[in-house]
Amino acid sequence: MIDDILKDAEDRMQKSIESMRGDMAKIRTGRASPALIDHLSVDYYGTATPINQVANVSVQDARTLAVQPWEKNMVPVVERAIIEANLGFNPVTAGDLIRIPMPPLTEERRKEMVKVAASEGESGKIAVRNIRRDANNDFKSLEKEKEISEDDEKRANDLVQKLTDKYVSLIDEIVKEKEADILKV
């Protein structure tokens, strides 16, 4: 019973970390990454479709993304979606290939990105703490129903706290890496 709750809590914490890593990938560091535009939707014959389902998004070099729509008539639509996303990108079209040069980040913009990364990290920590709270509530209800003893509940709460500490420190490491990546000129 306790092991099941602990396993569920750890699985959920792991998913929170993965989700946070995905959100962190969208934060611009000055290097080209397909994750920067993965969240964009393109009007594909009247349907909002993710950009990676209508085009191949790749890194051409350290500061340039290449977007190659699979249909030639989608080139202007994809280009318009990138411009309208207001990400500060200025796409350049050459035939059926759209190049997106990454403008260098200013110091002020880098500091803003560090704040965004810290806020993503804090959201991840909140998610982990909510999972801890849910697990502790489960243990408390088991103890009230006399399925486990008070000592077992206390031990289980300690184990969940250790799990929480582990994942919070992992989040801190991820945020620290991202901040170093953003501030690297």
Side-chain angles (χ1 to χ4, degrees), residues 12 18 35 45 52 62 82 107-109 124 126 133 135 139:
R12 290 174 55 202
E18 290 168 17
Y45 300 108
N52 57 4
I82 294 167
E107 189 63 31
E108 183 181 315
R109 187 78 173 126
I126 289 169
R133 184 197 61 221
F139 295 136

Side-chain angles (χ1 to χ4, degrees), residues 77-142:
V77 177
V78 171
E79 185 179 22
R80 189 171 344 106
I82 294 167
I83 293 169
E84 288 174 356
N86 208 10
L87 297 170
F89 298 147
N90 194 8
V92 178
T93 306
D96 60 347
L97 180 71
I98 303 168
R99 286 189 182 84
I100 307 172
M102 300 286 129
L105 291 174
T106 63
E107 189 63 31
E108 183 181 315
R109 187 78 173 126
R110 286 180 192 278
K111 287 180 180 167
E112 282 177 37
M113 292 296 171
V114 166
K115 287 179 186 171
V116 171
S119 125
E120 288 293 339
E122 195 54 43
S123 297
K125 288 180 189 178
I126 289 169
V128 167
R129 290 183 192 125
N130 287 341
I131 295 165
R132 175 190 61 192
R133 184 197 61 221
D134 294 345
N136 286 341
N137 288 342
D138 291 345
F139 295 136
K140 195 173 291 179
S141 66
L142 284 175

Side-chain angles (χ1 to χ4, degrees), residues 1-11 135 138-139 142:
M1 191 75 62
I2 291 174
D3 292 338
D4 294 341
I5 295 171
L6 286 171
K7 176 90 174 93
D8 178 58
E10 186 163 17
D11 289 345
D138 291 345
F139 295 136
L142 284 175

